[in-house]
Amino acid sequence: MRTLALETSAKSVSAAVVEDGAVLASNFQCTGLTHSRTLLPMVDAMLQNAELPLSSMELFAVSAGPGSFTGLRIGVSALKGLAWAEERPCVGISTLYAMAQNLAHTDALLVCAMDARRSQVYNALFEARGGQLTRLCGDRAIALDVLAGELRENRQRKLVLGDGALLAHGFLTGQGIPCELAPAALRYQNAVGVALAAEEAASRGETVSAQELTISYLRVSQAERERSARLQKSANAGA
């Protein structure tokens, strides 16, 4: 199966084509430029350089959260447009599970972390062993002190990865919990991991149409929280 995947959940942006577990082409950028400016030109250049027509893609995949609200919307909207035009199935992949693909070859407890602000991280835990990943908890927004409490008695080798890895690693080691930062080249989410995870999902029949593809934010946005607070303040004032 030939899969086109996009990853736009944080600062970096990437695109990849994977076929039956083998990477045919990939494009990664982490320069701070906006995804709305870079994503589609990256996809177009990658496909043209590799001489891979869009019509040859059998599956379309995207990191569907958690992550940056704006970034996720850009990635999912772009993928919807590409897949809809080709009338191909889609898969929305957990950003945390996709990044864990980077270290599936290790034997360790993978602590996937993305900065969720307010002393929280978007997190999931996976056991990597023999090239296989076992999910130990669902995707969640969790306080760093709660995460530390969960890991304190765990004696497995721990590898911390994701764009929140530095934050989580610093907090955990400060709490006396031994853990390692994943190598920089394998630390961050990328579209190759999205594609590999999507192939697994497709083999289980877990695909949707472009119209059905959704985003998993895990929590409401800052703008929505502020709006709710204003409404509550107005309601209290009028009571």
Side-chain angles (χ1 to χ4, degrees):
M1 175 174 289
R2 183 172 291 181
T3 302
L4 172 67
L6 308 180
E7 213 299 315
T8 59
S9 64
K11 180 181 177 181
S12 62
V13 57
S14 57
V17 177
V18 168
E19 187 169 41
D20 300 327
V23 181
L24 301 185
S26 66
N27 200 337
F28 180 94
Q29 185 170 306
C30 187
T31 59
L33 297 176
T34 59
H35 299 345
S36 59
R37 171 181 167 185
T38 55
L39 178 61
L40 290 178
M42 284 177 62
V43 172
D44 185 56
M46 178 185 69
L47 296 179
Q48 286 197 40
N49 290 340
E51 297 184 349
L52 295 169
L54 189 64
S55 59
S56 72
M57 303 301 148
E58 300 167 271
L59 180 68
F60 288 76
V62 65
S63 56
S68 157
F69 284 60
T70 301
L72 292 172
R73 289 184 184 118
I74 290 170
V76 170
S77 296
L79 192 88
K80 280 175 172 280
L82 295 170
W84 202 331
E86 299 298 329
E87 298 183 335
R88 295 288 195 271
C90 299
V91 181
I93 295 297
S94 157
T95 309
L96 298 163
Y97 183 62
M99 74 171 66
Q101 298 291 327
N102 298 357
L103 295 170
H105 62 282
T106 62
D107 287 340
L109 175 66
L110 305 184
V111 181
C112 297
M114 302 178 69
D115 188 358
R117 314 228 176 179
R118 299 185 297 165
S119 298
Q120 290 188 329
V121 288
Y122 295 125
N123 164 258
L125 304 175
F126 300 89
E127 183 177 18
R129 189 172 300 279
Q132 300 296 317
L133 293 172
T134 301
R135 180 183 277 278
L136 302 180
C137 67
D139 292 355
R140 60 209 178 153
I142 186 172
L144 285 166
D145 58 347
V146 176
L147 178 62
E150 289 185 1
L151 298 176
R152 195 174 305 282
E153 302 303 321
N154 189 300
R155 302 307 178 196
Q156 288 176 279
R157 180 193 182 198
K158 302 174 190 64
L159 287 172
V160 188
L161 66 158
D163 66 272
L166 290 173
L167 173 67
H169 177 266
F171 187 89
L172 293 173
T173 55
Q175 294 292 307
I177 300 170
C179 57
E180 306 167 45
L181 276 173
L186 300 175
R187 190 176 302 161
Y188 302 107
Q189 50 269 45
N190 65 71
V192 171
V194 174
L196 294 174
E199 288 190 339
E200 292 178 4
S203 71
R204 298 189 297 265
E206 299 171 2
T207 62
V208 297
S209 68
Q211 298 94 314
E212 296 170 318
L213 191 62
T214 58
I215 300 173
S216 176
Y217 293 118
L218 288 189
R219 71 184 193 191
V220 299
S221 68
Q222 178 69 25
E224 290 168 319
R225 288 196 301 271
E226 291 175 354
R227 178 176 180 274
S228 178
R230 288 195 300 271
L231 291 174
Q232 184 62 50
K233 184 177 180 180
S234 296
N236 292 340

